């Protein structure tokens, strides 16, 4: 297994597999493991039904019993438009195929919209944990606007048999304060019903993208988004893999000030290595008390290599898994299963250790 992973990593293999993290030591982290629910969540305020559903998720699919998660997320029909998402493989206009792919791919859970999961809930909600995405950004307004709004209720997700609910907050956007309140209230209700909560902690502000870099994926800004998400009691944080750092500093141009930061974040707590940058994201999840899952990104010509690379970075940083959608469903189902399995193999491979 390690030989295959090494080959898929290509020229990055040595840097990624042999890196030693000298910023935030792994001994400071709360790392995934078979005892995750008992060790991390049993002491919290979550009720027994939340613990049951979290345990169900962690004991489903090929990664069952490892403490790691492989989740198939397909909410792109709204977030990116159905045509843009499913034109490559029109089979996935049929909602049932989304759930089938998650099951055949050995995933811990399937994440999708109210409509997708409701359309086949009686057939599948007892066979694989459902993660119902309760808010979305729709892109039919002209010009396009970017705001996450509720598409259903927590009670509907509960009645569907969902194990978890998911939501997105666009931190940094003008609407973010309202979104924080909406999602915090929804997550509190979800916990009352016994469901796990998963937050897409995304940044959205045109100022974050400069002529030189896109700071929507900077470790310092995404790290703070993670910290805010953990604060409103997200059990699992979904975040894009960091690609750079220094977002706070870049926004402090001229006489303007932005946020607050300590420069030790850049000199002691991170380096430019992707594993160290991701570890800083994890540190902001209460040192891993909320699991960090990174997203797989858009589909392209090197999907297998990119997915395995992301999984290695996440695992070695101390993360909890991967949530990969477009790379899997924008290809024939058999190939999508192979891609999901390739990601899972990273978490099953004992030679890929925490840095």
């Amino acid at each position: 297994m390690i030989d295959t992973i090494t080959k898929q990593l290509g020229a990055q293999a040595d840097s990624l597999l042999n890196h030693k993290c000298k910023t935030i030591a792994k001994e400071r982290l709360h790392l995934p493991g078979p005892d995750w629910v008992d060790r991390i969540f049993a002491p919290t305020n979550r009720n027994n039904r939340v613990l049951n559903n979290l345990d169900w998720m962690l004991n489903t699919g090929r990664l069952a019993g490892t403490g790691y998660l492989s989740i198939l997320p397909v909410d792109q029909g709204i977030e990116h438009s159905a045509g843009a998402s499913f034109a490559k493989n029109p089979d996935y206009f049929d909602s049932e195929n989304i759930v089938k792919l998650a099951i055949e791919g050995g995933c811990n859970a399937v994440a999708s919209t109210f409509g997708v999961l409701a359309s086949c809930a009686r057939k599948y909600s007892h066979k694989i944990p459902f993660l119902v995405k309760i808010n979305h950004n729709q892109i039919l307004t002209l010009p396009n606007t970017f705001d996450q709004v509720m598409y259903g209720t927590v009670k509907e997700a509960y009645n569907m048999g969902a194990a978890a609910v998911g939501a997105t907050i666009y931190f940094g956007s003008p609407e973010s304060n309202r979104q924080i309140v909406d999602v915090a209230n929804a997550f509190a209700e979800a916990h009352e019903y016994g469901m796990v909560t998963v937050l897409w902690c995304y940044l959205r502000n045109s100022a974050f993208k400069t002529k030189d870099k896109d700071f929507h994926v900077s470790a310092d800004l995404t790290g703070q988004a993670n910290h805010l998400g953990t604060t409103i009691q997200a059990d699992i944080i979904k975040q894009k893999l960091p690609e750079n750092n220094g977002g706070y500093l870049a926004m402090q141009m001229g006489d303007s000030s932005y946020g607050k930061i300590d420069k030790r974040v850049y000199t002691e707590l991170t380096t430019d290595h992707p594993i160290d940058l991701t570890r800083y994201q994890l540190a902001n999840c209460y040192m891993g008390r909320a699991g960090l899952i990174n997203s797989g990104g858009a589909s392209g010509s090197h999907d297998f290599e990119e997915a395995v690379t992301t999984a290695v970075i996440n695992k070695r940083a101390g993360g909890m898994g991967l949530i990969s959608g477009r790379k899997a469903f924008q290809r024939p189902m058999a190939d999508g299963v192979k891609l999901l399995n390739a990601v899972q193999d990273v978490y099953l491979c004992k030679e890929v250790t925490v840095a």
Side-chain angles (χ1 to χ4, degrees):
M1 191 180 293
I2 187 62
D3 291 338
T4 301
I5 293 170
T6 301
K7 184 177 180 180
Q8 289 167 324
L9 291 175
Q12 303 178 85
D14 181 63
S15 173
L16 294 179
L17 293 176
N18 297 314
H19 175 71
K20 297 184 185 302
C21 185
K22 297 179 181 178
T23 54
I24 299 170
K26 64 183 179 181
E27 290 78 15
R28 290 183 168 186
L29 306 176
H30 303 282
L31 297 172
D35 62 343
W36 178 258
V37 175
D38 290 337
R39 176 165 46 92
I40 302 300
F41 277 89
T44 70
N45 66 341
R46 308 319 194 253
N47 62 46
N48 288 342
R49 289 168 298 165
V50 175
L51 303 187
N52 288 343
N53 276 319
L54 185 55
D55 191 70
W56 181 25
M57 290 173 66
L58 287 167
N59 284 286
T60 297
R62 292 184 73 227
L63 298 184
T66 64
Y68 290 108
L69 293 170
S70 167
I71 299 174
L72 176 73
V74 188
D75 61 351
Q76 284 87 350
I78 299 176
E79 298 286 344
H80 301 281
S81 92
S85 300
F86 305 134
K88 287 185 180 180
N89 189 351
D91 286 344
Y92 290 100
F93 277 109
D94 184 337
S95 54
E96 184 178 5
N97 285 329
I98 293 171
V99 182
K100 283 182 177 178
L101 175 60
I103 293 173
E104 292 296 319
C107 293
N108 299 74
V110 56
S112 198
T113 66
F114 271 102
V116 165
L117 297 177
S119 69
C120 49
R122 291 188 185 275
K123 186 173 182 179
Y124 292 108
S125 65
H126 58 294
K127 296 180 179 178
I128 185 170
F130 277 13
L131 196 175
V132 181
K133 187 71 163 35
I134 60 177
N135 70 354
H136 299 284
N137 172 61
Q138 58 84 18
I139 52 174
L140 268 179
T141 49
L142 186 66
N144 287 163
T145 57
F146 300 95
D147 186 17
Q148 291 283 331
V149 296
M150 292 293 173
Y151 269 61
T153 66
V154 171
K155 186 175 181 180
E156 284 180 282
Y158 171 77
N159 287 335
M160 195 188 300
V165 297
T168 298
I169 292 176
Y170 284 152
F171 291 105
S173 72
E175 301 81 13
S176 59
N177 283 340
R178 193 212 74 245
Q179 292 170 16
I180 290 169
V181 173
D182 286 349
V183 174
N185 289 335
F187 278 8
E189 186 179 4
H191 280 149
E192 288 181 10
Y193 278 108
M195 291 180 286
V196 178
T197 56
V198 182
L199 187 62
W200 279 238
C201 287
Y202 287 172
L203 301 177
R204 188 58 62 92
N205 192 308
S206 59
F208 291 162
K209 188 170 185 177
T210 70
K211 62 179 181 179
D212 299 316
K213 290 184 180 180
D214 186 356
F215 291 104
H216 288 95
V217 286
S218 71
D220 54 350
L221 296 182
T222 56
Q224 181 61 18
N226 290 358
H227 197 78
L228 294 174
T230 309
T231 300
I232 63 172
Q233 297 206 301
D235 302 318
I236 298 167
I237 298 293
K238 178 191 177 187
Q239 186 55 268
K240 296 178 180 179
L241 205 67
E243 297 178 12
N244 55 60
N245 207 357
Y248 273 112
L249 301 180
M251 296 303 108
Q252 295 173 352
M253 296 175 289
D255 296 328
S256 66
S257 62
Y258 174 71
K260 294 182 182 296
I261 196 67
D262 188 313
K263 291 188 178 180
R264 281 169 289 195
V265 167
Y266 311 112
T267 60
E268 298 179 20
L269 301 185
T270 58
T271 71
D272 60 359
H273 196 285
I275 292 173
D276 294 343
L277 295 175
T278 306
R279 179 155 297 181
Y280 183 72
Q281 287 186 340
L282 180 67
N284 278 279
C285 300
Y286 296 177
M287 286 293 194
R289 288 184 183 274
L292 173 66
I293 54 176
N294 289 115
S295 52
S299 180
S301 57
H302 302 286
D303 284 346
F304 278 78
E305 295 85 351
E306 291 172 359
V308 169
T309 298
T310 303
V312 168
I313 292 170
N314 173 270
K315 183 180 182 182
R316 300 215 68 220
M320 197 175 192
L322 217 60
I323 182 162
S324 183
R326 281 171 285 175
K327 292 185 189 303
F329 71 76
Q330 290 185 335
R331 55 184 2 103
M333 184 172 290
D335 290 340
V337 168
K338 289 179 182 177
L339 186 139
L340 292 169
N341 290 170
V343 166
Q344 294 153 9
D345 286 346
V346 171
Y347 295 96
L348 293 171
C349 182
K350 295 189 186 320
E351 289 86 355
V352 180
T353 59
V354 178

